[in-house]
Short mmCIF file of all heavy atoms in Angstrom, two decimals:
data_model
loop_
_atom_site.label_atom_id
_atom_site.label_comp_id
_atom_site.label_asym_id
_atom_site.label_seq_id
_atom_site.Cartn_x
_atom_site.Cartn_y
_atom_site.Cartn_z
N VAL P 57 38.17 61.61 -42.73
CA VAL P 57 38.14 60.18 -42.21
C VAL P 57 38.48 59.32 -43.50
O VAL P 57 37.74 59.53 -44.65
CB VAL P 57 36.77 59.92 -41.68
CG1 VAL P 57 36.73 58.37 -41.44
CG2 VAL P 57 36.52 60.69 -40.46
N ILE P 58 39.42 58.47 -43.37
CA ILE P 58 39.89 57.71 -44.45
C ILE P 58 39.00 56.49 -44.62
O ILE P 58 38.61 56.22 -45.72
CB ILE P 58 41.37 57.09 -44.17
CG1 ILE P 58 42.22 58.37 -43.96
CG2 ILE P 58 41.80 56.35 -45.38
CD1 ILE P 58 42.32 59.31 -45.11
N GLY P 59 38.49 55.94 -43.65
CA GLY P 59 37.64 54.69 -43.71
C GLY P 59 37.45 53.96 -42.41
O GLY P 59 38.06 54.35 -41.40
N TRP P 60 36.95 52.69 -42.58
CA TRP P 60 36.57 51.80 -41.37
C TRP P 60 37.78 50.93 -41.16
O TRP P 60 38.43 50.39 -42.12
CB TRP P 60 35.52 50.96 -41.64
CG TRP P 60 34.14 51.63 -41.75
CD1 TRP P 60 33.44 52.02 -42.91
CD2 TRP P 60 33.38 52.13 -40.67
NE1 TRP P 60 32.32 52.67 -42.65
CE2 TRP P 60 32.18 52.80 -41.25
CE3 TRP P 60 33.49 52.07 -39.20
CZ2 TRP P 60 31.24 53.35 -40.49
CZ3 TRP P 60 32.46 52.67 -38.55
CH2 TRP P 60 31.37 53.30 -39.10
N LEU P 61 38.27 50.90 -39.91
CA LEU P 61 39.34 49.95 -39.44
C LEU P 61 38.55 48.66 -38.74
O LEU P 61 39.13 47.56 -38.80
CB LEU P 61 40.21 50.52 -38.36
CG LEU P 61 41.20 51.66 -38.96
CD1 LEU P 61 41.97 52.18 -37.86
CD2 LEU P 61 42.17 50.92 -39.98
N SER P 62 37.41 48.90 -38.31
CA SER P 62 36.51 47.80 -37.76
C SER P 62 35.16 48.36 -37.62
O SER P 62 34.90 49.48 -38.13
CB SER P 62 37.12 47.43 -36.34
OG SER P 62 36.88 48.47 -35.38
N ASP P 63 34.21 47.61 -37.02
CA ASP P 63 32.91 48.10 -36.95
C ASP P 63 32.73 49.27 -35.96
O ASP P 63 31.68 50.03 -35.97
CB ASP P 63 31.94 47.01 -36.45
CG ASP P 63 31.63 45.95 -37.51
OD1 ASP P 63 31.92 46.22 -38.72
OD2 ASP P 63 31.34 44.86 -37.09
N GLU P 64 33.81 49.49 -35.19
CA GLU P 64 33.74 50.61 -34.05
C GLU P 64 34.84 51.73 -34.35
O GLU P 64 34.65 52.82 -33.85
CB GLU P 64 33.80 50.10 -32.75
CG GLU P 64 32.69 49.18 -32.36
CD GLU P 64 32.60 48.89 -30.85
OE1 GLU P 64 33.71 49.27 -30.20
OE2 GLU P 64 31.66 48.16 -30.32
N GLU P 65 35.84 51.28 -35.06
CA GLU P 65 36.91 52.28 -35.24
C GLU P 65 37.11 52.62 -36.68
O GLU P 65 36.96 51.97 -37.67
CB GLU P 65 38.25 51.57 -34.82
CG GLU P 65 38.39 51.45 -33.36
CD GLU P 65 39.81 50.99 -32.91
OE1 GLU P 65 40.34 50.06 -33.66
OE2 GLU P 65 40.32 51.59 -31.94
N ILE P 66 37.56 53.97 -36.74
CA ILE P 66 37.80 54.62 -38.04
C ILE P 66 39.16 55.23 -38.14
O ILE P 66 39.79 55.36 -37.02
CB ILE P 66 36.75 55.67 -38.33
CG1 ILE P 66 36.69 56.82 -37.28
CG2 ILE P 66 35.38 55.24 -38.68
CD1 ILE P 66 35.78 58.03 -37.61
N LEU P 67 39.68 55.33 -39.36
CA LEU P 67 41.08 55.94 -39.51
C LEU P 67 40.86 57.50 -39.93
O LEU P 67 40.17 57.74 -40.78
CB LEU P 67 41.85 55.25 -40.65
CG LEU P 67 43.24 55.75 -40.92
CD1 LEU P 67 44.10 55.65 -39.79
CD2 LEU P 67 43.65 55.15 -42.27
N VAL P 68 41.54 58.27 -39.06
CA VAL P 68 41.32 59.79 -39.21
C VAL P 68 42.62 60.37 -39.69
O VAL P 68 43.64 60.06 -39.02
CB VAL P 68 40.87 60.34 -37.90
CG1 VAL P 68 40.65 61.86 -38.03
CG2 VAL P 68 39.52 59.71 -37.48
N HIS P 69 42.52 61.26 -40.56
CA HIS P 69 43.70 62.08 -41.12
C HIS P 69 43.55 63.58 -40.55
O HIS P 69 42.60 64.26 -40.70
CB HIS P 69 43.55 62.05 -42.57
CG HIS P 69 44.76 62.96 -43.20
ND1 HIS P 69 44.67 63.33 -44.46
CD2 HIS P 69 45.80 63.67 -42.67
CE1 HIS P 69 45.69 64.12 -44.92
NE2 HIS P 69 46.43 64.30 -43.73
N ALA P 70 44.61 64.02 -39.82
CA ALA P 70 44.56 65.32 -39.24
C ALA P 70 45.97 65.93 -39.42
O ALA P 70 46.95 65.25 -39.75
CB ALA P 70 44.09 65.33 -37.88
N GLY P 71 46.09 67.22 -39.28
CA GLY P 71 47.45 67.86 -39.37
C GLY P 71 47.46 69.35 -39.10
O GLY P 71 46.40 70.00 -39.03
N GLU P 72 48.68 69.81 -38.82
CA GLU P 72 49.04 71.14 -38.43
C GLU P 72 50.06 71.63 -39.46
O GLU P 72 51.10 70.91 -39.55
CB GLU P 72 49.45 71.38 -37.06
CG GLU P 72 48.34 70.96 -35.97
CD GLU P 72 47.28 71.98 -35.88
OE1 GLU P 72 47.47 73.08 -36.51
OE2 GLU P 72 46.22 71.68 -35.30
N MET P 73 49.89 72.64 -40.20
CA MET P 73 50.94 73.13 -41.05
C MET P 73 51.33 72.08 -42.14
O MET P 73 50.49 71.50 -42.79
CB MET P 73 52.19 73.69 -40.36
CG MET P 73 51.86 74.82 -39.31
SD MET P 73 51.20 76.27 -40.14
CE MET P 73 52.76 76.83 -41.00
N ASN P 74 52.68 71.72 -42.14
CA ASN P 74 53.10 70.57 -43.00
C ASN P 74 53.38 69.31 -42.38
O ASN P 74 54.20 68.56 -42.81
CB ASN P 74 54.28 71.09 -43.85
CG ASN P 74 53.98 72.42 -44.77
OD1 ASN P 74 52.95 72.51 -45.18
ND2 ASN P 74 55.00 73.22 -44.99
N ALA P 75 52.78 69.06 -41.28
CA ALA P 75 52.91 67.83 -40.55
C ALA P 75 51.71 67.15 -40.29
O ALA P 75 50.85 67.59 -39.48
CB ALA P 75 53.72 68.14 -39.25
N ASP P 76 51.46 66.08 -40.96
CA ASP P 76 50.12 65.45 -40.96
C ASP P 76 50.22 64.13 -40.03
O ASP P 76 51.26 63.53 -40.01
CB ASP P 76 49.63 65.05 -42.22
CG ASP P 76 49.06 66.20 -42.96
OD1 ASP P 76 48.99 67.41 -42.31
OD2 ASP P 76 48.62 66.06 -44.09
N THR P 77 49.17 63.73 -39.45
CA THR P 77 49.18 62.61 -38.51
C THR P 77 47.83 61.69 -38.80
O THR P 77 46.79 62.16 -39.13
CB THR P 77 49.12 62.88 -37.04
OG1 THR P 77 50.31 63.83 -36.74
CG2 THR P 77 49.21 61.77 -36.24
N LEU P 78 48.00 60.44 -38.69
CA LEU P 78 46.99 59.39 -38.82
C LEU P 78 46.57 58.92 -37.53
O LEU P 78 47.57 58.56 -36.62
CB LEU P 78 47.32 58.32 -39.83
CG LEU P 78 47.48 58.46 -41.28
CD1 LEU P 78 47.83 57.30 -41.98
CD2 LEU P 78 46.32 59.27 -41.89
N TYR P 79 45.34 58.88 -37.17
CA TYR P 79 44.76 58.33 -35.90
C TYR P 79 43.84 57.25 -36.10
O TYR P 79 43.19 57.18 -37.03
CB TYR P 79 44.14 59.50 -35.06
CG TYR P 79 44.97 60.62 -34.73
CD1 TYR P 79 45.06 61.72 -35.72
CD2 TYR P 79 45.57 60.80 -33.46
CE1 TYR P 79 45.78 62.95 -35.32
CE2 TYR P 79 46.32 61.91 -33.11
CZ TYR P 79 46.44 63.02 -34.15
OH TYR P 79 47.12 64.12 -33.70
N ARG P 80 43.61 56.37 -35.04
CA ARG P 80 42.50 55.56 -34.99
C ARG P 80 41.60 56.06 -34.00
O ARG P 80 42.12 56.47 -32.85
CB ARG P 80 42.90 54.07 -34.83
CG ARG P 80 43.74 53.80 -33.45
CD ARG P 80 44.25 52.36 -33.47
NE ARG P 80 43.20 51.38 -33.74
CZ ARG P 80 43.56 50.17 -34.21
NH1 ARG P 80 44.83 49.77 -34.24
NH2 ARG P 80 42.60 49.21 -34.52
N PHE P 81 40.32 56.07 -34.30
CA PHE P 81 39.35 56.64 -33.44
C PHE P 81 38.13 55.75 -33.13
O PHE P 81 37.56 55.09 -34.09
CB PHE P 81 38.77 57.95 -33.89
CG PHE P 81 37.69 58.60 -33.11
CD1 PHE P 81 37.94 59.17 -31.93
CD2 PHE P 81 36.46 58.74 -33.65
CE1 PHE P 81 36.97 59.74 -31.11
CE2 PHE P 81 35.46 59.28 -32.86
CZ PHE P 81 35.76 59.90 -31.71
N ASN P 82 37.85 55.49 -31.83
CA ASN P 82 36.68 54.60 -31.47
C ASN P 82 35.45 55.50 -31.42
O ASN P 82 35.45 56.30 -30.51
CB ASN P 82 37.02 53.81 -30.26
CG ASN P 82 35.88 52.76 -29.96
OD1 ASN P 82 34.70 52.98 -29.80
ND2 ASN P 82 36.34 51.58 -29.88
N LEU P 83 34.51 55.11 -32.16
CA LEU P 83 33.26 56.07 -32.18
C LEU P 83 32.48 56.01 -30.86
O LEU P 83 31.81 56.96 -30.58
CB LEU P 83 32.32 55.55 -33.32
CG LEU P 83 32.79 55.80 -34.85
CD1 LEU P 83 31.95 54.98 -35.71
CD2 LEU P 83 32.71 57.20 -35.09
N PHE P 84 32.59 54.83 -30.16
CA PHE P 84 31.76 54.74 -28.97
C PHE P 84 32.44 54.98 -27.68
O PHE P 84 31.80 55.33 -26.71
CB PHE P 84 31.07 53.33 -29.03
CG PHE P 84 30.32 53.03 -30.31
CD1 PHE P 84 30.82 52.16 -31.28
CD2 PHE P 84 29.23 53.81 -30.68
CE1 PHE P 84 30.22 51.93 -32.43
CE2 PHE P 84 28.64 53.57 -31.82
CZ PHE P 84 29.10 52.70 -32.85
N SER P 85 33.70 54.85 -27.74
CA SER P 85 34.41 55.10 -26.40
C SER P 85 35.03 56.53 -26.49
O SER P 85 35.29 57.14 -25.40
CB SER P 85 35.54 54.08 -26.12
OG SER P 85 36.73 54.30 -27.22
N GLY P 86 35.20 56.96 -27.74
CA GLY P 86 35.85 58.39 -27.84
C GLY P 86 37.24 58.34 -27.80
O GLY P 86 37.80 59.49 -27.82
N LYS P 87 37.89 57.27 -27.76
CA LYS P 87 39.28 57.13 -27.72
C LYS P 87 40.04 57.49 -28.96
O LYS P 87 39.81 56.82 -30.05
CB LYS P 87 39.86 55.79 -27.18
CG LYS P 87 41.32 55.52 -26.85
CD LYS P 87 41.65 54.29 -26.38
CE LYS P 87 43.15 54.10 -26.23
NZ LYS P 87 43.51 52.72 -25.64
N LEU P 88 40.97 58.38 -28.87
CA LEU P 88 41.81 58.76 -30.01
C LEU P 88 43.31 58.40 -29.91
O LEU P 88 43.84 58.89 -28.93
CB LEU P 88 41.62 60.26 -30.31
CG LEU P 88 42.27 60.81 -31.61
CD1 LEU P 88 41.52 60.43 -32.84
CD2 LEU P 88 42.41 62.28 -31.52
N THR P 89 43.76 57.52 -30.78
CA THR P 89 45.12 56.90 -30.64
C THR P 89 45.93 57.30 -31.89
O THR P 89 45.60 56.91 -33.10
CB THR P 89 45.05 55.49 -30.48
OG1 THR P 89 44.21 55.12 -29.45
CG2 THR P 89 46.36 54.94 -30.33
N PRO P 90 47.02 58.13 -31.79
CA PRO P 90 47.94 58.37 -32.84
C PRO P 90 48.62 57.05 -33.46
O PRO P 90 48.92 56.25 -32.58
CB PRO P 90 48.96 59.34 -32.36
CG PRO P 90 48.91 59.09 -30.90
CD PRO P 90 47.51 58.71 -30.50
N ILE P 91 48.53 56.88 -34.85
CA ILE P 91 49.16 55.65 -35.39
C ILE P 91 50.48 56.07 -36.03
O ILE P 91 51.51 55.43 -35.81
CB ILE P 91 48.25 55.07 -36.40
CG1 ILE P 91 47.01 54.49 -35.80
CG2 ILE P 91 49.14 54.03 -37.18
CD1 ILE P 91 46.06 53.90 -36.83
N TYR P 92 50.46 57.22 -36.80
CA TYR P 92 51.68 57.60 -37.57
C TYR P 92 51.77 59.01 -37.87
O TYR P 92 50.85 59.66 -38.24
CB TYR P 92 51.46 56.84 -38.94
CG TYR P 92 52.71 57.00 -39.88
CD1 TYR P 92 53.89 56.40 -39.68
CD2 TYR P 92 52.55 57.85 -41.07
CE1 TYR P 92 54.99 56.67 -40.56
CE2 TYR P 92 53.63 58.08 -41.82
CZ TYR P 92 54.84 57.36 -41.71
OH TYR P 92 55.82 57.53 -42.52
N GLU P 93 52.92 59.62 -37.61
CA GLU P 93 53.35 60.95 -37.91
C GLU P 93 54.13 60.99 -39.16
O GLU P 93 55.20 60.44 -39.16
CB GLU P 93 54.01 61.65 -36.80
CG GLU P 93 53.17 61.80 -35.53
CD GLU P 93 53.96 62.46 -34.39
OE1 GLU P 93 55.10 62.86 -34.53
OE2 GLU P 93 53.39 62.55 -33.25
N ALA P 94 53.58 61.58 -40.20
CA ALA P 94 54.24 61.52 -41.59
C ALA P 94 55.46 62.44 -41.63
O ALA P 94 56.29 62.16 -42.55
CB ALA P 94 53.26 61.80 -42.76
N GLY P 95 55.41 63.50 -40.91
CA GLY P 95 56.56 64.47 -41.07
C GLY P 95 56.53 65.34 -42.25
O GLY P 95 57.39 66.00 -42.50
N SER P 96 55.39 65.15 -43.00
CA SER P 96 55.08 66.01 -44.13
C SER P 96 53.55 65.94 -44.47
O SER P 96 52.81 65.48 -43.58
CB SER P 96 56.00 65.58 -45.44
OG SER P 96 55.71 64.01 -45.61
N ILE P 97 53.16 66.52 -45.61
CA ILE P 97 51.77 66.52 -46.02
C ILE P 97 51.39 65.10 -46.49
O ILE P 97 51.99 64.61 -47.47
CB ILE P 97 51.49 67.49 -46.96
CG1 ILE P 97 51.81 68.90 -46.43
CG2 ILE P 97 50.11 67.55 -47.43
CD1 ILE P 97 51.67 70.07 -47.41
N ILE P 98 50.27 64.59 -46.07
CA ILE P 98 49.69 63.33 -46.54
C ILE P 98 48.59 63.72 -47.61
O ILE P 98 47.76 64.46 -47.34
CB ILE P 98 48.92 62.48 -45.58
CG1 ILE P 98 50.12 62.05 -44.53
CG2 ILE P 98 48.16 61.37 -46.15
CD1 ILE P 98 49.52 61.13 -43.33
N LEU P 99 48.95 63.35 -48.93
CA LEU P 99 47.91 63.68 -49.95
C LEU P 99 46.88 62.64 -50.14
O LEU P 99 45.67 62.94 -50.34
CB LEU P 99 48.63 63.78 -51.27
CG LEU P 99 49.63 64.87 -51.48
CD1 LEU P 99 50.29 64.84 -52.84
CD2 LEU P 99 49.02 66.26 -51.33
N THR P 100 47.23 61.38 -50.00
CA THR P 100 46.28 60.27 -50.17
C THR P 100 46.58 59.19 -49.12
O THR P 100 47.78 58.97 -48.86
CB THR P 100 46.28 59.67 -51.52
OG1 THR P 100 46.27 60.72 -52.55
CG2 THR P 100 45.18 58.71 -51.83
N ALA P 101 45.54 58.57 -48.59
CA ALA P 101 45.62 57.40 -47.74
C ALA P 101 44.56 56.34 -48.11
O ALA P 101 43.43 56.75 -48.46
CB ALA P 101 45.58 57.75 -46.25
N ALA P 102 44.87 55.07 -47.94
CA ALA P 102 43.82 53.98 -48.29
C ALA P 102 44.13 52.79 -47.35
O ALA P 102 45.29 52.55 -47.19
CB ALA P 102 43.89 53.70 -49.78
N ILE P 103 43.07 52.19 -46.92
CA ILE P 103 43.18 50.99 -45.95
C ILE P 103 43.12 49.83 -46.91
O ILE P 103 42.21 49.66 -47.81
CB ILE P 103 42.09 51.11 -44.94
CG1 ILE P 103 42.08 52.35 -44.30
CG2 ILE P 103 42.09 49.83 -44.06
CD1 ILE P 103 40.84 52.66 -43.37
N SER P 104 43.92 48.83 -46.58
CA SER P 104 43.84 47.57 -47.29
C SER P 104 42.61 46.80 -47.10
O SER P 104 41.83 47.16 -46.08
CB SER P 104 45.05 46.64 -46.94
OG SER P 104 44.97 46.22 -45.48
N GLU P 105 42.32 45.78 -47.91
CA GLU P 105 40.98 45.10 -47.79
C GLU P 105 40.98 44.21 -46.46
O GLU P 105 39.89 44.02 -45.95
CB GLU P 105 40.80 44.06 -48.95
CG GLU P 105 40.59 44.90 -50.37
CD GLU P 105 39.28 45.58 -50.40
OE1 GLU P 105 38.37 45.03 -49.86
OE2 GLU P 105 39.26 46.65 -51.08
#
Side-chain angles (χ1 to χ4, degrees):
V57 172
I58 305 301
W60 295 100
L61 291 173
S62 69
D63 289 341
E64 295 189 354
E65 286 191 313
I66 55 177
L67 180 66
V68 179
H69 174 196
E72 298 285 348
M73 300 298 290
N74 293 330
D76 286 358
T77 303
L78 295 179
Y79 299 87
R80 63 191 309 163
F81 176 65
N82 190 300
L83 292 166
F84 306 111
S85 71
K87 183 179 180 181
L88 183 71
T89 306
I91 293 179
Y92 182 74
E93 294 182 3
S96 55
I97 298 174
I98 296 176
L99 293 179
T100 310
I103 305 168
S104 64
E105 293 289 327

